[in-house]
Amino acid sequence: MDQKKKAKQIMDEINVKVQAIQDTDPTITIIKTHILDAISKMDKDTRRKETIGIFGRTGEGKSSLLNAVLGQFLLPSGGFGACTAVITQVEANLNDSNYIAEIELISKEEWDVEFALSDEVEDNQLTEMLKERIIALFGAEAEEKTLEELKRDDKYTEIYNVLSTGKKIISRSDPTEFASAVVCYLEHSVANAGDCFWPLVKCVTIKIPNCRELLEHIVLIDLPGTGDCDKIRDDLWKTKIRECSSVWIVSDIKRAITDRDPWEILQHCIEDLGPGGECKYINFICTKTDDMKQVEYLRSVRLTEAQISGHGLDVKTKCILHRNDLAKKTIKLKLKSSKSEESKERFNTDVFTVSSTEYFDPESHLKHVETEIPKLRDILINLNKSINQKLTRDYINEAKGILSLIQSVQLDKDKNMTKARILEDLQTNVVKELKLLDDHFEDLYENLKRCLSKGVEESVRLCVKTTQDMLSSVRPKSNRGFHKIFRAMCGRGGFYWPRKWNEPLDLNKCLTKHMYDSINEEFVLMFPVDDNNKTEKSMQDKLDKFSIIQCFLPTSQMLHPIHIFIQTQETKLKASLSRVIVEKKKEIYLIIYTAIERKMAPGYKKAAGKKGGGAMQKMENAIMETIEELKPQMFNEAKVEMLETFNNLKLHIMKTLESELKSSVKRSLSQISKFNLLDVTGEIQELEKLSAAV
């Protein structure tokens, strides 16, 4: 933005002037060093970009949607037997005009485990997922070979050579050449068996030039179809979900209302998005709206062409727009009714009906705006603009703080308010405000402890029955093949998402149910995702109200720079700690799950090793015996670990506030008025004008 550029020019000039000041006194040297250090850090903002996750089942049009939003064909879509097979991040290349792909590969050790996972092999036959990977890498004929024969294949050596690099970078100036170069690392394609490297890839980051307006501060993540991941990518998938501030749930419009998949994806991820994440917005996107057979559609809605509005439009367009409107109303109603009471106010939701095909078609049946791709682009543009404005305000305020420090150290202190008196008052305020904050955090700790204790009690009493009920609900009536799924779950640490299932088999989540049920309501109040939902019970609310200068109003114009400097330092510090709270609260929430997963690990390993006749019953018995043996210990350990981590967050906030603010107070009261340091009055006035214009 222009305001930030102008502010940066001012600070660049100040930087040069400060460097030119002679170090004639130790105090000047200290202040000068601090000012130069503060200026140098202004451009090193480490804030993570906003993340928008795009997910749904394979074939729903996620990649096509992304291509349309970006306005160019970069991601593979629509090929015969092809689908995106890896997590793909898309962001702006702000450095040059090249298209860049940063391809993160799995390690050789991870490849060895994937290649010969015992839970992926049953009676010497490769499971469908492993078979797909082998064919992608070695070709169709590899299906008939044993694992040992594949290891002797020349391709196996080539794979090891590829993995030895750890990371691969592809850079092209031409988008078509770039798309061709990266496709084998992104796409599973039946037509190109033997020439695909996606099974070796963890994640691909694509950087696109000339899209600053869309993606300067935003990352789009195209997540592979749920159930299409292995253990390594399952973990990464869950991590990425927790980073999302917004998600787009993508579903073919013909199935969006009736298909269970998108709704079960939403339900399964709700905790990772809300209390365990930072999601504020959920957009439901119906794709392929141009795929319309008007005769069949009119029959299905029991209407005639004359009964559908749209004067002057052809029948297909009228039907498309009618179905779009009907889908929006129905899905909004379903979203409203499907939300649980505890999550009803947690997310902002909306519905879009899009056609990527029509957006690119110059002879489209639909107007450009009716494809609704421009609406999604506007979401990105407006979000980007909002982030830019905030960053600009923060930069200008920080600049004002630095210039106020320069002013404050040159002032003759007010005779009625000596340096010692000001220092004493501010230090007293630090102690008083920290005590109030500590009392509030202690109340939160006790509330969390109470909820966790109830959760432990409920878990110990009910976890065995809850587990048995869950297994009974997912086990097919014939029991056929379920032992393979159960073994895969045990081999993957209690979590497995079969490709044809609408939700994963997650025994860890089942075991943590009662603990999370006990804390969720209180946890959401303690750590609301949306600032609009903050209450006095939230950690963020009390941090926002914390201030050591609220009672320190300058008694003269001469003390005003001190007030401004401390205020800007305080604001910057609280903003930094707010980001720490968001990240730490995800870690705190996940502790229950990870603690149970860790304690159950030996039991899962033991169960996965059960073979021979009655293997299913043997595996189930091993799991139930482990739960019975560990249930008092593992739930209590999860409680203790969560409370310790919460307490560590509290201590970090308190110590950081105390040390940083005391340091700021001392710097602002360093007095070198007998020296002429620098007159920055004009620069401060200019920054005030820029601040008003943001």
Side-chain angles (χ1 to χ4, degrees):
M1 296 180 70
D2 288 342
Q3 289 88 349
K4 186 174 180 180
K5 288 180 180 178
K6 290 176 182 177
K8 191 175 184 314
Q9 287 174 357
I10 290 172
M11 296 310 294
D12 287 343
E13 291 169 4
I14 292 292
N15 189 51
V16 173
K17 291 178 181 179
V18 172
Q19 286 180 354
I21 295 171
Q22 297 296 313
D23 295 342
T24 56
D25 180 88
T27 308
I28 288 183
T29 303
I30 293 170
I31 294 297
K32 177 181 170 182
T33 300
H34 172 72
I35 291 169
L36 291 174
D37 183 55
I39 294 173
S40 70
K41 290 177 179 177
M42 289 182 71
D43 274 335
K44 297 176 182 177
D45 197 304
T46 57
R47 277 177 267 193
R48 183 167 51 80
K49 294 182 178 183
E50 292 283 321
T51 301
I52 298 178
I54 303 172
F55 61 109
R57 281 278 181 180
T58 293
E60 299 297 287
K62 300 190 301 296
S63 298
S64 297
L65 173 68
L66 258 180
N67 286 335
V69 169
L70 297 171
Q72 46 195 316
F73 295 99
L74 291 175
L75 301 178
S77 62
F80 172 70
C83 63
T84 305
V86 302
I87 293 172
T88 308
Q89 297 188 175
V90 181
E91 56 188 75
N93 177 8
L94 303 173
N95 298 320
D96 56 43
S97 59
N98 286 337
Y99 294 83
I100 298 171
E102 297 175 354
I103 302 166
E104 184 183 353
L105 302 168
I106 62 175
S107 68
K108 291 180 180 180
E109 293 74 21
E110 287 169 332
W111 163 248
D112 287 336
V113 172
E114 271 201 16
F115 191 66
L117 267 177
S118 60
D119 65 281
E120 295 282 48
V121 181
E122 188 72 25
D123 299 327
N124 297 321
Q125 294 296 315
L126 297 176
T127 63
E128 181 182 350
M129 191 177 290
L130 184 57
K131 186 188 298 182
E132 188 177 84
R133 287 173 168 74
I134 295 299
I135 291 173
L137 289 164
F138 293 90
E141 67 281 358
E143 187 176 350
E144 306 301 322
K145 296 181 180 180
T146 66
L147 295 180
E148 288 304 316
E149 287 173 331
L150 291 173
K151 285 184 178 180
R152 294 193 293 271
D153 194 298
D154 290 342
K155 190 79 176 202
Y156 195 85
T157 303
E158 182 185 346
I159 288 169
Y160 252 56
N161 291 335
V162 171
L163 294 179
S164 65
T165 61
K167 192 173 186 178
K168 184 177 179 63
I169 307 292
I170 295 173
S171 180
R172 300 285 190 278
S173 59
D174 180 75
T176 304
E177 290 180 11
F178 173 78
S180 298
V182 301
V183 67
C184 65
Y185 295 96
L186 296 175
E187 182 183 74
H188 166 65
S189 175
V190 174
N192 294 299
D195 291 320
C196 298
F197 289 98
W198 61 263
L200 310 178
V201 177
K202 266 188 186 178
C203 178
V204 176
T205 299
I206 292 177
K207 298 185 177 182
I208 304 171
N210 307 317
C211 62
R212 183 180 291 270
E213 184 184 34
L214 279 176
L215 299 179
E216 182 179 5
H217 304 292
I218 299 171
V219 177
L220 302 175
I221 301 185
D222 182 8
L223 294 156
T226 47
D228 293 339
C229 299
D230 55 19
K231 176 69 171 74
I232 299 167
R233 297 166 191 85
D234 269 335
D235 293 341
L236 187 58
W237 193 91
K238 288 186 280 187
T239 299
K240 294 298 181 185
I241 282 293
R242 296 185 193 106
E243 292 177 359
C244 294
S245 57
S246 177
V247 297
W248 295 357
I249 300 177
V250 180
S251 184
D252 187 323
I253 192 168
K254 296 190 297 297
R255 299 189 295 272
I257 299 171
T258 57
D259 194 0
R260 292 172 56 194
D261 286 357
W263 306 101
E264 291 186 345
I265 289 171
L266 177 59
Q267 191 57 43
H268 174 70
C269 296
I270 207 80
E271 288 182 352
D272 285 333
L273 292 171
E278 54 183 283
C279 183
K280 302 182 186 71
Y281 303 95
I282 295 178
N283 291 325
F284 201 105
I285 301 178
C286 304
T287 57
K288 305 181 182 180
T289 60
D290 57 284
D291 186 3
M292 168 62 70
K293 294 181 175 60
Q294 50 265 38
V295 175
E296 291 180 11
Y297 177 71
L298 290 171
R299 189 185 302 121
S300 69
V301 293
R302 299 179 182 179
L303 294 172
T304 65
E305 179 189 342
Q307 291 174 301
I308 296 180
S309 61
H311 180 71
L313 300 176
D314 60 81
V315 180
K316 181 175 181 179
T317 303
K318 288 166 67 175
C319 287
I320 288 172
L321 296 177
H322 183 273
R323 183 175 64 181
N324 288 354
D325 185 58
L326 180 63
K328 284 187 177 185
K329 290 177 180 176
T330 307
I331 292 170
K332 284 180 180 179
L333 185 63
K334 191 168 182 176
L335 279 169
K336 185 178 180 180
S337 62
S338 68
K339 290 181 184 177
S340 64
E341 284 301 317
E342 66 183 53
S343 64
K344 188 166 286 187
E345 303 300 328
R346 194 179 297 167
F347 307 108
N348 300 298
T349 60
D350 205 350
V351 182
F352 298 85
T353 49
V354 306
S355 171
S356 304
T357 302
E358 293 286 298
Y359 179 75
F360 283 118
D361 187 356
E363 299 179 0
S364 169
H365 285 79
L366 301 175
K367 296 176 183 176
H368 216 48
V369 69
E370 289 172 340
T371 68
E372 299 208 353
I373 296 297
K375 286 187 179 180
L376 295 178
R377 286 177 59 86
D378 284 344
I379 287 176
L380 300 181
I381 290 169
N382 291 332
L383 175 59
N384 212 37
K385 189 180 295 183
S386 173
I387 296 169
N388 250 327
Q389 288 174 334
K390 186 178 188 316
L391 290 172
T392 299
R393 281 194 298 270
D394 290 349
Y395 186 94
I396 292 173
N397 287 335
E398 190 173 352
K400 284 160 59 179
I402 293 171
L403 298 190
S404 295
L405 173 63
I406 294 173
Q407 274 193 327
S408 70
V409 299
Q410 298 177 92
L411 295 173
D412 288 319
K413 306 308 178 191
D414 194 308
K415 293 178 181 178
N416 298 318
M417 185 68 92
T418 65
K419 174 183 173 182
R421 176 68 184 279
I422 298 171
L423 180 61
E424 182 183 346
D425 285 352
L426 287 173
Q427 299 284 32
T428 300
N429 283 354
V430 171
V431 173
K432 183 180 74 173
E433 287 297 311
L434 284 173
K435 177 65 170 62
L436 290 173
L437 194 62
D438 186 54
D439 289 344
H440 174 69
F441 287 168
E442 191 60 30
D443 288 342
L444 295 184
Y445 178 92
E446 290 300 323
N447 287 341
L448 182 59
K449 183 179 179 180
R450 174 179 49 79
C451 294
L452 284 168
S453 297
K454 179 184 175 184
V456 170
E457 182 182 330
E458 291 287 295
S459 297
V460 171
R461 184 169 62 89
L462 297 171
C463 65
V464 172
K465 185 179 184 304
T466 303
T467 302
Q468 291 170 337
D469 290 346
M470 185 272 283
L471 292 176
S472 296
S473 69
V474 299
R475 182 188 285 112
K477 291 181 180 179
S478 65
N479 214 24
R480 184 178 179 183
F482 185 66
H483 68 290
K484 296 181 182 180
I485 293 172
F486 194 84
R487 187 185 303 283
M489 179 206 71
C490 293
R492 292 170 181 238
F495 178 95
Y496 179 55
W497 198 325
R499 177 165 295 185
K500 295 180 182 179
W501 283 32
N502 295 317
E503 59 183 323
L505 181 60
D506 191 346
L507 190 51
N508 299 316
K509 187 171 184 178
C510 174
L511 289 169
T512 60
K513 170 180 165 40
H514 301 293
M515 293 213 45
Y516 279 125
D517 285 350
S518 297
I519 71 165
N520 275 345
E521 184 176 349
E522 196 70 26
F523 198 89
V524 169
L525 292 174
M526 290 167 61
F527 299 103
V529 172
D530 195 332
D531 286 345
N532 295 326
N533 294 332
K534 278 189 304 189
T535 69
E536 289 193 350
K537 283 191 171 185
S538 79
M539 181 173 269
Q540 184 62 56
D541 178 69
K542 291 302 179 186
L543 178 62
D544 289 345
K545 292 175 181 176
F546 175 93
S547 177
I548 68 168
I549 58 168
Q550 57 188 349
C551 300
F552 171 63
L553 298 175
T555 56
S556 72
Q557 187 65 29
M558 295 182 70
L559 295 180
H560 188 67
I562 299 173
H563 188 274
I564 294 298
F565 171 69
I566 296 174
Q567 185 179 50
T568 56
Q569 293 301 103
E570 194 177 76
T571 300
K572 179 184 176 183
L573 183 58
K574 290 196 292 184
S576 175
L577 288 171
S578 295
R579 293 191 288 274
V580 171
I581 289 174
V582 171
E583 292 304 316
K584 279 294 181 181
K585 78 108 174 186
K586 289 185 273 188
E587 179 186 331
I588 292 169
Y589 190 79
L590 191 59
I591 278 171
I592 295 174
Y593 187 97
T594 54
I596 300 305
E597 181 182 42
R598 185 174 62 248
K599 292 297 291 185
M600 287 292 297
Y604 290 135
K605 185 177 181 180
K606 180 180 177 181
K610 299 294 183 182
K611 305 283 185 179
M616 178 64 223
Q617 191 60 52
K618 292 177 185 176
M619 288 189 290
E620 193 169 337
N621 289 344
I623 291 297
M624 301 313 298
E625 288 168 6
T626 302
I627 295 172
E628 281 284 6
E629 179 186 349
L630 295 177
K631 63 183 183 181
Q633 179 188 7
M634 68 179 176
F635 294 118
N636 267 301
E637 285 186 8
K639 167 191 166 181
V640 170
E641 191 176 342
M642 178 176 268
L643 289 172
E644 284 180 354
T645 310
F646 177 86
N647 196 53
N648 289 339
L649 171 60
K650 182 196 85 168
L651 292 174
H652 172 75
I653 292 171
M654 303 289 289
K655 288 178 180 178
T656 303
L657 286 170
E658 182 177 19
S659 62
E660 293 293 326
L661 289 177
K662 283 184 176 180
S663 177
S664 294
V665 168
K666 287 180 180 179
R667 281 197 297 270
S668 69
L669 292 168
S670 301
Q671 191 166 357
I672 53 172
S673 57
K674 56 185 176 179
F675 300 103
N676 183 21
L677 186 64
L678 197 64
D679 182 11
V680 293
T681 307
E683 285 84 353
I684 289 178
Q685 291 173 349
E686 185 63 29
L687 287 174
E688 292 286 2
K689 292 177 184 177
L690 293 176
S691 182
V694 177

